[in-house]
Amino acid sequence: MTEVLLLGRRAVREIARYPEATIPTLFIPLFFLAVNIGQISKTFPSSTPFLRGQGYVAFQLPVSLMFAVATATSGLALVTEIDLGYFDKLRVAPIRRSSIIFGRLSADLVRGILTSTVVLLAGIAFGARIQSGVAGAILIVLLSALFGVAYAGFGILIALRTRNVQATQASFLLFFPLLFLTPNFVPFDRLESVMQTLARINPVSYVIVGLRSLVIDGWDAGKIAVCIGVIAAMGAILTALSLRTMAHYDR
C-alpha cells in the first residue's frame, strides 16, 4: 500500500505540474454540454415526460461526465515512461509491479473527482437540479471518477501491450462509439429498434442511466446498483488484464 501511495502521489504531482494535460479533457465535455443544450433543449422542453420537469441539461449532464473522466491520460503517461526508460527502472526497483498500475489508477481517481466536480457544477450552473440532493451529488462525482479509473485500465492495457504512443492515444477515440451507442440523447424506449438493441448490450449505457437517475429521478436503488456493478466489473476485468500483461511484460 505504501508503494501505491508513493507512486500515486508522484502521479498526482504530475497532474498539478502539467495542467495542460487536464484542461483539454474538461473542454470537450463542457463544449458538448453547451452545444447539445443549445441545439436540443427546445426540442425537449421541461414538459417532456422523461425530463420530470427539468431542462434538457439534466438529461445530458451524465454524458458530459463520462466524457470528462474517460481519458487515456494514465496510459499516455505510462507509455511515455516506457519510451524514456523510467518504466524499466521501476520494474527493477524492489517494489511490486502491480503498484505501478495501482499508483497510476489512484491518480486517475483524484483527476476524476476534480474533473467531474467541475462538470457537475457547470451543469448546475446551466440549470440542472440534482433530485437526490447533496448526498446524490457526491455519489455522482464518486461514481463518475470510479468509472474513469475503470476505463483508465484500458489505456494502461494498450500502453503495456503496444508500447506505442499513437496506439495509446487511440484508446480514447474508441470511447466515442461506446458513448454514442447509448441512450445519450433520448431514453431507451425512444431509440430505433437496432439502436436500442446495441444500446442495451453496451455496459456504458447503464452507467449513464444510473447517473441520470440520481439527477432526474432521485434515489433509484435498482439503477444505481446496476451502475455500480458495471463499473466494478469493468474495472476488475481491465485491471486484471493489465496486471497479467505486466506480469508477462518481458516474455
Side-chain angles (χ1 to χ4, degrees):
M1 181 60 71
T2 302
E3 298 162 356
V4 174
L5 290 175
L6 289 174
L7 291 172
R9 186 171 63 183
R10 172 179 172 272
V12 170
R13 284 201 299 266
E14 288 178 2
I15 296 173
R17 193 178 300 120
Y18 304 107
E20 61 272 14
T22 300
I23 292 174
T25 66
L26 280 171
F27 172 77
I28 294 176
L30 293 176
F31 173 79
F32 271 94
L33 184 63
V35 168
N36 288 336
I37 293 170
Q39 291 183 340
I40 307 176
S41 58
K42 288 188 177 180
T43 304
F44 299 112
S46 58
S47 58
T48 305
F50 65 77
L51 292 179
R52 307 285 197 277
Q54 291 216 54
Y56 192 67
V57 59
F59 196 82
Q60 274 295 298
L61 181 55
V63 179
S64 293
L65 287 166
M66 294 293 94
F67 262 127
V69 299
T71 66
T73 307
S74 281
L76 286 172
L78 188 60
V79 80
T80 300
E81 290 182 344
I82 291 173
D83 279 346
L84 295 175
Y86 185 76
F87 181 72
D88 290 329
K89 293 180 180 179
L90 289 176
R91 289 195 303 120
V92 299
I95 60 174
R96 289 167 296 191
R97 290 188 173 186
S98 61
S99 63
I100 300 173
I101 292 177
F102 286 120
R104 282 288 166 196
L105 293 178
S106 64
D108 268 305
L109 180 62
V110 173
R111 185 197 305 273
I113 289 174
L114 292 174
T115 55
S116 56
T117 298
V118 171
V119 173
L120 181 64
L121 291 175
I124 293 173
F126 279 128
R129 301 190 306 276
I130 311 302
Q131 294 299 324
S132 52
V134 175
I138 294 172
L139 184 58
I140 289 170
V141 169
L142 183 59
L143 290 177
S144 299
L146 288 174
F147 176 80
V149 172
Y151 190 76
F154 183 61
I156 290 174
L157 178 62
I158 297 298
L160 291 172
R161 284 189 175 274
T162 66
R163 309 178 195 184
N164 181 273
V165 174
Q166 289 77 19
T168 306
Q169 285 177 324
S171 66
F172 172 69
L173 298 178
L174 292 176
F175 184 69
F176 278 84
L178 278 177
L179 187 64
F180 284 100
L181 291 175
T182 65
N184 60 330
F185 292 117
V186 292
F188 281 120
D189 58 9
R190 294 205 177 194
L191 295 173
E192 189 270 334
S193 58
V194 174
M195 187 67 180
Q196 184 176 149
T197 301
L198 293 172
R200 288 191 181 279
I201 63 176
N202 182 358
V204 178
S205 295
Y206 300 97
V207 179
I208 291 176
V209 168
L211 295 177
R212 190 173 280 155
S213 70
L214 287 165
V215 178
I216 295 178
D217 302 321
W219 293 95
D220 188 320
K223 292 178 181 178
I224 295 170
V226 172
C227 174
I228 294 172
V230 169
I231 293 172
M234 183 181 296
I237 292 170
L238 290 175
T239 302
L241 289 173
S242 296
L243 291 172
R244 185 176 183 277
T245 302
M246 175 73 83
H248 297 85
Y249 187 82
D250 295 320
R251 298 181 186 179

